Amino acid sequence: MGTRKTGILDQFRLDRKTALVTGCRRGIGMAMAVGLAEAGADIVGVSKSLETSGSDVERAVTALGREFRAYQCDFADRQAVYSFIETVKRDAPAIDILVNNAGTILRAPAAEHSDDYWDTIIEINLNAQFVLAREFGRDMVERGNGKIIFTASLLTFQGGITVPGYAASKGGIGQLTKALANEWASKGVNVNAIAPGYIATDNTAALRADPARSRQILERIPAGKWGDAEDFKGVAVFLASEASNYIHGAVLLVDGGWMAR
């Protein structure tokens, strides 16, 4: 094995890197964007409703002395995704780190899970993620380096309840992570994923508001509490940095021990 010339803490630095973070307006995406900026990266941020200026994530990133570029994109609209990619490639620095975090969840029992629900979830959570990874990943392969991080889920491994579209999309993300890693690991591009457990975000508001379901969840989590968006800063920086150079196709759990029980 080769020996790196830098010390271990230096390997986590992201100075002179540009990270594109989707779904960064709030929650886990915002925390990852700020964490990457704390490690030295400039941020290209995009969400469907991200303010073009003055957003919370922009203020947090620029307060660290890093650059922030804001974009809006509806990931349910395939043409909008292509237009966004074209704009970023034209106007922003080369993307060194792609964090494919944007996603949605729609709840209904399987027998009542409509085509519209299914199509919307798959388009946002899986199709758009592949298009972004392919288009920016191609550039990374040509340069011989890059980092791609998907946001997976516990439902990458489990089926869930009343969320068949979401479970299918996140299962697909796990397989896509491995498929891209198999092709691009030898090209200098790392493709990995982070699987959040039960985190106190907008996506879990309905679960946390249900006393019975919330109690059931907490009883199974060895850590005994819901996770926080801040818990994703460290793992995002790790997977975006040189410290993870020999990690390919992994789905790293940040779940308070849920999957261990």
Side-chain angles (χ1 to χ4, degrees), residues 100 148-158 169-181 190-197 232 235 238-239 244 246-255 259-260:
N100 261 330
I148 298 176
I149 304 166
F150 289 98
T151 295
S153 169
L154 292 181
L155 299 195
T156 299
F157 309 97
Q158 301 175 313
S169 71
K170 292 302 185 177
I173 287 296
Q175 293 304 103
L176 180 59
T177 297
K178 297 170 189 176
L180 296 181
N190 296 74
V191 185
N192 294 290
I194 300 168
F232 293 84
V235 66
F238 171 57
L239 290 178
S244 64
Y246 198 58
I247 297 178
H248 297 275
V251 181
L252 299 187
L253 288 156
V254 182
D255 67 346
M259 289 298 295

Side-chain angles (χ1 to χ4, degrees), residues 78 105 108 120 123 167 186 247 261:
R78 184 75 60 89
I105 189 167
T120 297
E123 190 64 34
S186 65
I247 297 178
R261 177 161 287 183

Side-chain angles (χ1 to χ4, degrees), residues 89-104:
K89 289 192 178 189
R90 182 185 67 235
D91 296 344
I95 301 301
D96 303 293
I97 302 155
L98 170 63
V99 181
N100 261 330
N101 171 72
T104 192

Side-chain angles (χ1 to χ4, degrees), residues 58-244:
E58 178 180 4
R59 287 196 294 269
V61 168
T62 56
L64 296 165
R66 310 314 311 164
E67 293 185 5
F68 185 86
R69 297 170 185 261
Y71 296 90
Q72 291 183 347
C73 181
D74 180 359
F75 292 104
D77 181 341
R78 184 75 60 89
Q79 188 53 54
V81 173
Y82 280 114
S83 296
F84 163 70
I85 292 168
E86 180 181 358
T87 299
V88 170
K89 289 192 178 189
R90 182 185 67 235
D91 296 344
I95 301 301
D96 303 293
I97 302 155
L98 170 63
V99 181
N100 261 330
N101 171 72
T104 192
I105 189 167
L106 296 170
R107 300 178 184 276
E112 303 164 16
H113 205 76
S114 68
D115 287 357
D116 285 344
Y117 270 27
W118 178 273
D119 292 343
T120 297
I121 294 166
I122 296 299
E123 190 64 34
I124 294 172
N125 291 9
L126 187 57
N127 294 346
Q129 310 301 315
F130 172 66
V131 171
L132 288 162
R134 182 188 65 205
E135 296 303 308
F136 288 108
R138 182 186 298 118
D139 297 339
M140 294 176 183
V141 168
E142 290 177 357
R143 294 196 305 267
N145 63 81
K147 303 279 187 172
I148 298 176
I149 304 166
F150 289 98
T151 295
S153 169
L154 292 181
L155 299 195
T156 299
F157 309 97
Q158 301 175 313
I161 301 170
T162 72
V163 286
Y166 185 82
S169 71
K170 292 302 185 177
I173 287 296
Q175 293 304 103
L176 180 59
T177 297
K178 297 170 189 176
L180 296 181
N182 287 342
E183 293 194 36
W184 293 346
S186 65
K187 311 296 184 183
V189 178
N190 296 74
V191 185
N192 294 290
I194 300 168
Y198 286 93
I199 312 301
T201 65
D202 292 347
N203 273 2
T204 60
L207 293 176
R208 288 181 285 119
D210 182 333
R213 187 75 178 106
S214 181
R215 184 181 66 255
Q216 292 170 352
I217 289 168
L218 288 172
E219 286 173 350
R220 172 167 169 164
I221 299 173
K225 62 179 182 178
W226 290 78
D228 187 82
E230 296 288 306
D231 294 322
F232 293 84
K233 285 185 174 182
V235 66
V237 170
F238 171 57
L239 290 178
S241 72
E242 290 183 9
S244 64

